[in-house]
């Protein structure tokens, strides 16, 4: 019996030792990870001689690579801290009992300081007061030892100085006067509409989703005007010179070359546009004419509806000596010149599929390239040099291609900001 009792005790001790070893083994770590970069950064903050309320919230800000700043405040205090990257040698271990892992995360040490808010406001007031005292002392020195000019400047500043305290009683009156003065000012939408009217360009759509809709055809001319353009005789004529003789303006190489290439009935709309471009070019080259009868003769007697439209769109009526308008007397002002050229350029863009060679028009119209480019920019076009393929197609040398510009209308379309300036008469030449 004694031996059995000893055996039971030995087995019980062995079981308890084994149980202890098994319990200890449960706390052994499987892995230890060192987190180099993390979206969550712990901080170790020191508050020497200060007891910070536990409900104080802090915000952390990251400056350069390893530089951090923290800021927190209560009703009475502000706390600011920053770290020294050269002394950040601390890590915080975060234990996860589920995976039995410890993650070591770099923890910058934030050396904090406190500021009492009430003292901060007093310090700002003291700085302002110090600035006032400095100005008073500087003015006193200027009055005593300054030149006549310096003294005059000081007296002007003092005389024009506005003291806010004295204006408090007039505040309501000032506000009412401002409201009265500004109540008739145009709204932002009205200003945009006014600016749109001031542009010398045809009606356009900035929300257009295809090139043909940016400047619609019937924005250039009405349906009735387009129908009045009769080009059947031009299309049927086989002789180039006779074809040219049927156009309103006969000496334009740009127009004549493109008319000569029309050979298909499917191109009748393009031929009508060429006729309209010829009409606009003829009006521009005869812009000194001031009566309808002479203009009809110069433009080879087009349909009267077309001539009436040109006079209405691009001319201003002259006023006689007695103050009555002369029915058949008009003038094309510089502003109307720009409008006429813009309508012509948009017509040419439609003809040439929205990429136009600027040198062709500058030569045709005897205009400076800068003026032509400015008008194309006003239309929302981009001015670009010709590409290598275009250079070869046009037969240009490298030197010629450097100054050979193309105007391109593209999507997305955006009109430029309207410049608030007037060009001089000389700049229009």
């Amino acid at each position: 019996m004694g031996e059995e009792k000893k055996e039971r005790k030995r087995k019980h001790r062995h079981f308890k030792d084994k149980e202890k070893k098994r319990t200890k083994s449960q706390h052994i770590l499987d892995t230890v990870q060192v987190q180099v970069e993390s979206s969550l950064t712990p901080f170790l903050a020191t508050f020497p001689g200060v007891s910070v309320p536990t409900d104080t919230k802090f915000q952390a800000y990251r400056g350069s690579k390893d530089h951090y700043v923290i800021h927190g405040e209560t009703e009475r205090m502000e706390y600011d801290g920053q770290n020294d990257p050269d002394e950040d040698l601390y890590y915080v271990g975060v234990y996860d009992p589920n995976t039995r892992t410890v993650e070591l995360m770099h923890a910058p040490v934030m050396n904090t300081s406190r500021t009492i808010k009430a003292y901060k406001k007093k310090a700002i007031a003291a700085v302002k007061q110090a600035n006032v005292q400095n100005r008073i002392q500087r003015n006193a020195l200027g009055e005593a030892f300054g030149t006549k000019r310096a003294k005059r400047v000081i007296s002007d500043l003092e005389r024009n100085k506005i003291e806010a305290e004295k204006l408090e009683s007039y505040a309501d009156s000032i506000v009412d006067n401002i409201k009265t003065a500004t109540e008739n000012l145009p709204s932002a939408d009205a200003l945009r509409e006014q600016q749109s009217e001031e542009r010398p360009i045809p009606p356009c759509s900035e929300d257009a989703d295809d090139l043909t809709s940016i400047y619609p055809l019937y924005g250039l001319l009405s349906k009735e005007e387009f129908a009045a353009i009769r080009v059947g005789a031009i299309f049927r004529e086989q002789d180039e010179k006779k074809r040219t003789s049927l156009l309103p303006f006969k000496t334009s190489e740009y127009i004549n070359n493109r008319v000569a290439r029309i050979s298909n009935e499917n191109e009748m709309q393009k031929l009508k546009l060429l006729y309209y471009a010829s009409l606009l070019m003829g009006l521009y080259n005869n812009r000194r004419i001031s009566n309808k009868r002479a203009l009809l003769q110069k433009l080879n007697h087009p349909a009267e509806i077309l001539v009436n439209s040109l006079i209405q769109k691009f001319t201003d009526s002259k006023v006689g000596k007695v103050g009555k308008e002369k029915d058949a007397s008009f003038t094309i002002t510089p502003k109307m010149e720009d409008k006429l050229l813009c309508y012509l350029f948009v017509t040419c863009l439609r003809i040439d599929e929205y990429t136009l060679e600027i040198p062709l028009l500058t030569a045709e119209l005897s205009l400076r390239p800068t003026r032509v480019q400015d008008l194309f920019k006003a239309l929302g076009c981009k001015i670009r040099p010709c590409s290598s393929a275009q250079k070869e197609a046009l037969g240009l040398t490298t030197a010629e291609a450097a100054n050979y510009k193309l105007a391109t209308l593209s999507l997305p379309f955006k009109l430029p900001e309207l410049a608030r300036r007037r060009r001089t008469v000389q700049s229009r030449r």
Side-chain angles (χ1 to χ4, degrees):
M1 288 294 293
E3 291 294 331
E4 289 180 3
K5 190 174 182 181
K6 287 180 182 180
E7 184 64 21
R8 283 199 302 270
K9 285 183 178 181
R10 187 183 65 78
K11 287 182 179 182
H12 181 67
R13 281 197 306 269
H14 177 72
F15 175 77
K16 288 185 70 176
D17 290 343
K18 191 173 181 181
E19 185 69 20
K20 285 180 181 179
K21 287 180 181 180
R22 188 176 63 82
T23 304
K24 286 181 180 180
S25 68
Q26 288 180 350
H27 296 282
I28 295 175
L29 299 177
D30 286 347
T31 57
V32 176
Q33 298 179 353
V34 178
Q35 189 72 289
V36 179
E37 292 287 341
S38 175
S39 58
L40 299 175
T41 303
F43 296 100
L44 297 175
T46 61
F47 299 91
V50 178
S51 177
V52 181
T54 55
D55 59 348
T56 306
K57 294 183 179 179
F58 285 84
Q59 293 288 334
Y61 306 92
R62 185 170 185 172
S64 58
K65 184 177 179 182
D66 295 317
H67 186 259
Y68 297 90
V69 174
I70 61 171
H71 175 80
E73 57 182 83
T74 62
E75 187 177 348
R76 295 178 57 251
M77 307 289 289
E78 287 186 1
Y79 304 94
D80 294 285
Q82 59 182 343
N83 69 314
D84 184 351
D86 296 332
E87 297 182 2
D88 286 343
L89 304 176
Y90 292 87
Y91 284 80
V92 172
V94 181
Y95 174 68
D96 186 351
N98 294 325
T99 58
R100 293 191 297 178
T101 59
V102 170
E103 187 176 11
L104 297 180
M105 304 177 71
H106 180 235
V109 178
M110 312 301 291
N111 300 311
T112 60
S113 60
R114 64 173 180 172
T115 304
I116 302 173
K117 290 184 177 180
Y119 289 170
K120 187 177 180 180
K121 292 179 181 178
K122 288 181 180 179
I124 294 172
V127 169
K128 291 183 178 179
Q129 186 62 28
N131 290 337
V132 173
Q133 293 295 333
N134 289 339
R135 183 171 56 80
I136 293 172
Q137 292 172 1
R138 186 170 60 251
N139 288 350
L141 286 172
E143 291 284 358
F145 305 104
T147 61
K148 289 182 179 180
R149 183 179 177 184
K151 291 178 181 179
R152 187 169 62 251
V153 170
I154 292 170
S155 63
D156 289 344
L157 289 173
E158 288 296 324
R159 187 167 56 252
N160 295 326
K161 184 174 67 175
I162 297 175
E163 296 184 10
E165 295 81 3
K166 293 182 179 179
L167 294 177
E168 288 181 357
S169 58
Y170 301 101
D172 293 337
S173 177
I174 291 171
V175 171
D176 291 340
N177 288 338
I178 292 173
K179 287 181 179 178
T180 303
T182 58
E183 63 184 2
N184 294 323
L185 288 177
S187 63
D189 292 337
L191 283 174
R192 279 193 292 271
E193 186 176 348
Q194 181 183 354
Q195 286 183 351
S196 178
E197 292 174 357
E198 290 177 3
R199 296 179 191 271
I201 64 175
C204 64
S205 172
E206 292 196 66
D207 301 325
D209 54 3
D210 66 273
L211 291 174
T212 57
S213 301
I214 295 176
Y215 290 101
L217 175 61
Y218 296 124
L220 293 172
L221 70 172
S222 67
K223 291 183 179 180
E224 293 76 17
E225 293 165 34
F226 194 68
I229 299 175
R230 307 291 184 182
V231 292
I234 300 174
F235 179 75
R236 290 189 296 270
E237 183 58 59
Q238 299 299 315
D239 185 77
E240 284 190 22
K241 288 186 178 180
K242 290 183 178 180
R243 264 193 173 191
T244 301
S245 67
L246 296 173
L247 294 170
F249 186 64
K250 306 174 184 62
T251 59
S252 168
E253 289 186 18
Y254 173 84
I255 301 290
N256 296 343
N257 291 339
R258 283 156 179 74
V259 169
R261 293 198 291 265
I262 299 290
S263 59
N264 193 319
E265 288 188 359
N266 294 332
E267 298 178 290
M268 294 298 283
Q269 186 181 48
K270 186 175 182 179
L271 186 56
K272 284 190 171 190
L273 286 172
L274 283 165
Y275 185 94
Y276 188 64
S278 178
L279 198 64
L280 295 174
M281 200 172 288
L283 177 61
Y284 180 78
N285 280 274
N286 293 284
R287 60 190 179 280
R288 301 290 177 254
I289 291 178
S290 60
N291 65 82
K292 180 179 174 182
R293 184 178 300 174
L295 186 62
L296 275 167
Q297 188 174 354
K298 285 288 186 181
L299 297 180
N300 202 11
H301 297 280
E304 193 165 355
I305 186 176
L306 296 173
V307 176
N308 290 339
S309 174
L310 293 180
I311 293 172
Q312 182 184 357
K313 283 180 188 173
F314 307 116
T315 70
D316 289 329
S317 298
K318 281 186 177 179
V319 179
K321 293 181 180 178
V322 294
K324 294 182 179 179
E325 291 188 0
K326 296 180 180 179
D327 293 337
S329 185
F330 50 80
T331 183
I332 297 180
T333 62
K335 183 178 179 181
M336 287 299 182
E337 267 188 38
D338 284 350
K339 183 178 179 182
L340 172 59
L341 289 171
C342 284
Y343 273 68
L344 172 61
F345 293 166
V346 170
T347 305
C348 294
L349 281 166
R350 291 185 73 95
I351 293 167
D352 284 1
E353 297 181 354
Y354 303 100
T355 297
L356 198 56
E357 300 168 45
I358 291 177
L360 293 180
L361 294 176
T362 56
E364 292 271 328
L365 302 168
S366 300
L367 291 170
R368 291 192 311 160
T370 52
R371 185 183 175 194
V372 175
Q373 290 180 25
D374 286 344
L375 290 174
F376 273 114
K377 289 176 183 176
L379 289 166
C381 292
K382 294 180 176 63
I383 309 300
R384 298 190 177 101
C386 58
S387 63
S388 300
Q390 289 167 331
K391 183 186 79 171
E392 292 179 7
L394 295 169
L396 301 173
T397 64
T398 304
E400 290 171 335
N403 297 316
Y404 204 88
K405 304 293 185 183
L406 303 177
T408 304
L409 191 66
S410 58
L411 292 172
F413 173 71
K414 188 177 187 311
L415 287 172
E417 294 294 329
L418 197 62
R420 285 291 182 185
R421 61 183 179 85
R422 286 187 176 181
R423 292 183 294 179
T424 61
V425 176
Q426 290 79 7
S427 70
R428 307 182 66 83
R429 297 288 182 256

